Amino acid sequence: ILLLNRQYMLCWVKGGGGRRSFRRLASHFTYHPTSTAGDHPKTNMFQAVTSALDIALQSDPSALVYGEDVAFGGVFRCTLGLREKYGAQRVFNTPLAEQGIAGFSIGLAVGGATAIGEIQFADYILPAFDQIVNEAAKFRFRTGNLFNCGKLTIRAPCQAVGHGGCYHSQSVEAFFAHSAGLKIVIPRGAYTAKGLLLSCIRSPDPCLFFEPKILYRSAEDNVPTDDYQLELGKAEIVRQGDGVTLVGWGTQVHVLLEVAKMAEEKLGVSCEVIDLQTIVPWDVDTIAESVCKTGRLLISHEAQLTGGFGAEIAATIQRECFLNLEAPIERVTGLDTPFPHIQEPFYMPTKWKVLEAIERLTAF
């Protein structure tokens, strides 16, 4: 008996002694590794994050890493071993108070330190919303650049994990995208996580770095052990095509890559897949150039439809590429409901929903 849903393919198998059990056979997406030049060790995403933090602490004596349970490695083990290496004064736990973590981070950064705070789950960043939006984002502006907190980075695990329910699955990027003064970054895997995180830590602006938690162990790339950075504000074309432009970020990029292959096999449609990477400031030029070539755009993200960042992309591309569009822009997103638990498979923007949208685009 097969039970299929978004997160799992489960098979009911008969074990020894007549016992029956469910086994997990596959995830809802297939991870597509990032190709890198050179011979580099296989590294998963949480190890890549650890490596970036290690480099930041080693290269910058003012850098501090802190958050809830960070001292023993964090719930996802991203800070494992750093306290032992750099000491309790540079890697330490905070109280369970997200607003306090954000306020403390702002003070550190204004005082000249490189502040790298962790919010244990992106869902719990909302108590810190006032500090981030009204203080961190506006500090440079309201002091006329006399002071700033540009050496501030806040990390937080985000997006669906298959069993997180409404408080451990949300995508919150659009909430903060409305606040000028912040950079918002979401990697799609281990290689991009390390390079983008180091760029955030060294950015002259406060950054929010959201890490798709389902990728911590499932995303493996050949990641350089040395120091490298990836450009913020720059999208990456991860698959070339000329029929439809598919735009996503985080885990959804891998869904789109799988759909692009399906569309080519089933529909004969060549899809160009773009990883946005930086939500703010986002790379208008790369997407616009792609849409001028393909004439069709589909945006997909896990956050709900209304007010999702896909709407901003759609509005901008409609203005910039109006005469090149061959069909209305499609958005395939989460539903306009709180993030569900057992009903998660119905909420998610699955590959089948995206494939149906591509059919609509090409049939218009």
Side-chain angles (χ1 to χ4, degrees):
I1 300 173
L2 279 179
L3 170 64
L4 297 175
N5 68 20
R6 184 209 67 86
Q7 176 60 25
Y8 305 110
M9 177 187 288
L10 295 172
C11 185
W12 193 27
V13 296
K14 185 175 181 179
R19 292 174 298 171
R20 291 173 171 82
S21 62
F22 284 107
R23 291 181 185 173
R24 180 175 177 176
L25 301 182
S27 183
H28 80 288
F29 68 95
T30 300
Y31 182 73
H32 296 75
T34 298
S35 298
T36 56
D39 185 19
H40 305 297
K42 187 78 76 174
T43 305
N44 66 28
M45 198 173 88
F46 94 76
Q47 293 168 329
V49 170
T50 307
S51 178
L53 296 174
D54 189 4
I55 289 170
L57 287 162
Q58 186 176 49
S59 61
D60 182 353
S62 76
L64 302 174
V65 174
Y66 50 89
E68 299 166 6
D69 300 319
V70 159
F72 80 87
V75 293
F76 293 105
R77 319 310 286 156
C78 292
T79 54
L80 191 65
L82 297 180
R83 181 186 178 93
E84 290 76 16
K85 187 172 182 178
Y86 295 102
Q89 291 188 333
R90 297 187 67 196
V91 181
F92 49 88
N93 288 335
T94 65
L96 305 183
E98 288 78 15
Q99 186 177 23
I101 294 171
F104 176 68
S105 299
I106 294 166
L108 280 177
V110 172
T114 297
I116 311 168
E118 178 185 304
I119 302 294
Q120 201 165 82
F121 288 89
D123 312 65
Y124 296 133
I125 202 171
L126 297 181
F129 193 84
D130 177 61
Q131 286 291 316
I132 295 170
V133 170
N134 276 332
E135 302 298 336
K138 298 175 174 62
F139 217 104
R140 189 191 305 273
F141 176 80
R142 70 187 182 90
T143 65
N145 203 30
L146 291 175
F147 304 99
N148 70 81
C149 53
K151 299 176 74 175
L152 164 61
T153 299
I154 295 178
R155 299 175 40 247
C158 69
Q159 299 189 346
V161 71
H163 48 76
C166 59
Y167 292 128
H168 298 84
S169 306
Q170 296 176 82
S171 299
V172 299
E173 63 271 10
F175 292 134
F176 294 97
H178 194 65
S179 179
L182 300 172
K183 288 181 179 176
I184 304 169
V185 180
I186 305 178
R188 71 173 184 274
Y191 176 78
T192 57
K194 180 174 178 178
L196 290 170
L197 179 54
L198 282 168
S199 294
C200 284
I201 291 169
R202 294 160 179 167
S203 170
D205 300 295
C207 295
L208 300 179
F209 190 79
F210 295 124
E211 302 160 7
K213 67 181 80 67
I214 199 171
L215 298 180
Y216 276 135
R217 286 170 174 78
S218 63
E220 285 192 340
D221 296 328
N222 294 109
V223 179
T225 56
D226 57 354
D227 190 338
Y228 68 92
Q229 294 179 222
L230 298 177
E231 184 180 354
L232 301 181
K234 183 66 177 175
E236 181 182 355
I237 299 173
V238 292
R239 179 186 172 112
Q240 297 280 347
D242 58 16
V244 178
T245 299
L246 309 180
V247 176
W249 49 89
T251 309
Q252 198 64 16
V253 173
H254 304 288
V255 176
L256 296 179
L257 283 167
E258 188 171 358
V259 172
K261 183 179 179 181
M262 293 167 61
E264 190 167 44
E265 294 172 351
K266 297 177 182 293
L267 307 175
V269 176
S270 171
C271 295
E272 184 150 285
V273 181
I274 299 178
D275 177 7
L276 193 62
Q277 297 192 126
T278 306
I279 309 303
V280 177
W282 67 282
D283 187 352
V284 179
D285 291 343
T286 295
I287 297 176
E289 288 170 9
S290 177
V291 173
C292 286
K293 174 177 64 174
T294 65
R296 297 172 178 86
L297 173 62
L298 184 151
I299 308 150
S300 188
H301 54 71
E302 290 186 16
Q304 65 190 60
L305 178 70
T306 301
F309 196 72
E312 176 65 26
I313 298 173
T316 301
I317 296 302
Q318 186 272 343
R319 183 193 66 216
E320 297 293 327
C321 307
F322 183 75
L323 296 178
N324 299 92
L325 287 171
E326 301 290 344
I329 296 169
E330 287 276 356
R331 288 184 290 157
V332 182
T333 70
L335 303 179
D336 282 336
T337 69
F339 200 103
H341 189 202
I342 195 170
Q343 297 92 357
E344 183 178 319
F346 304 102
Y347 173 94
M348 292 295 290
T350 62
K351 60 185 179 183
W352 304 110
K353 293 180 182 178
V354 177
L355 187 63
E356 288 177 1
I358 292 174
E359 289 186 270
R360 291 194 297 270
L361 278 168
T362 53
F364 184 83

